[in-house]
Amino acid sequence: MDKERPLCFEFKKMHHIIIRAIHDRLVSCGFDEVTVLHGHILGYLYYNSDRDIYPRDIVKEYEVGKSSVTNVLQLMEEKGYLTRTTDERDGRLKKIRLTKKGEEVHRQTIEVIDRLHRDMEFGITEQEREIFFRIVDKMRENAVRQHISEDMQN
């Protein structure tokens, strides 16, 4: 193994490059106000529109603090991407739903990100993709196994 280039650090660097590229592409298409978390929330609400969604669902799904989610949802509501309404069964809960504008922003954002994916994967063969996914799967299994092992020691 090349000790000068550990795979985990390469993944982390690539993650940052991808996040910056997504942000830059979105800004160039006029979506300067859509952050990565906004995008995740838009997608989550879009693909779960058949059920009631609450802030706690976002907290759980993305492992983000409750106050951060509250702030992001408030900003997204101000931008007209979603509505928050009081639950009829429990007045303490707020249901979250995308607006038509939020749905459209989500669709446009996905188009930009899909184009970026195609551009970044240009020239990568199917065989290289298979190798990549085998490596990622092994690393994920090792990470899970390591996490379980540490939990058993504590």
Side-chain angles (χ1 to χ4, degrees):
M1 177 169 80
D2 184 356
K3 294 287 185 188
E4 300 301 314
R5 290 184 72 189
L7 293 177
C8 290
F9 289 124
E10 292 300 320
F11 273 115
K12 182 176 176 147
K13 287 192 298 188
M14 195 64 204
H15 171 77
H16 288 294
I17 290 168
I18 292 168
I19 295 301
R20 271 196 314 271
I22 288 171
H23 180 264
D24 292 348
R25 284 274 177 108
L26 290 172
V27 167
S28 73
C29 293
F31 295 110
D32 57 337
E33 59 202 25
V34 178
T35 68
V36 173
L37 184 56
H38 286 116
H40 286 306
I41 292 171
L42 286 170
Y44 186 79
L45 294 173
Y46 185 85
Y47 293 110
N48 290 284
S49 62
D50 59 334
R51 65 185 188 94
D52 290 341
I53 302 294
Y54 301 93
R56 65 177 178 225
D57 299 315
I58 306 295
V59 168
K60 184 178 177 184
E61 180 71 17
Y62 297 105
E63 297 181 9
V64 180
K66 186 178 176 183
S67 62
S68 295
V69 168
T70 299
N71 292 336
V72 169
L73 293 175
Q74 192 170 19
L75 180 62
M76 291 176 73
E77 185 176 30
E78 289 170 12
K79 301 282 185 189
Y81 298 151
L82 57 84
T83 59
R84 294 182 297 170
T85 56
T86 302
D87 185 276
E88 42 300 326
R89 293 178 308 258
D90 186 341
R92 297 169 297 174
L93 300 176
K94 296 283 187 186
K95 284 194 277 189
I96 311 163
R97 199 154 212 69
L98 279 183
T99 61
K100 293 292 181 199
K101 179 180 180 180
E103 290 173 0
E104 183 58 29
V105 167
H106 169 72
R107 282 191 289 275
Q108 292 173 350
T109 300
I110 291 304
E111 286 177 24
V112 170
I113 291 170
D114 286 348
R115 259 193 322 271
L116 176 69
H117 288 176
R118 286 190 301 273
D119 292 347
M120 292 187 85
E121 294 177 22
F122 178 77
I124 296 174
T125 67
E126 191 57 39
Q127 181 182 12
E128 290 168 330
R129 288 176 60 82
E130 289 173 16
I131 291 168
F132 172 80
F133 286 118
R134 280 200 310 266
I135 291 168
V136 169
D137 289 344
K138 279 184 184 180
M139 289 181 73
R140 185 180 300 113
E141 290 167 11
N142 290 341
V144 167
R145 194 171 30 256
Q146 178 65 31
H147 182 71
I148 291 170
S149 173
E150 287 177 359
D151 283 350
M152 293 176 125
Q153 292 174 3
N154 292 333

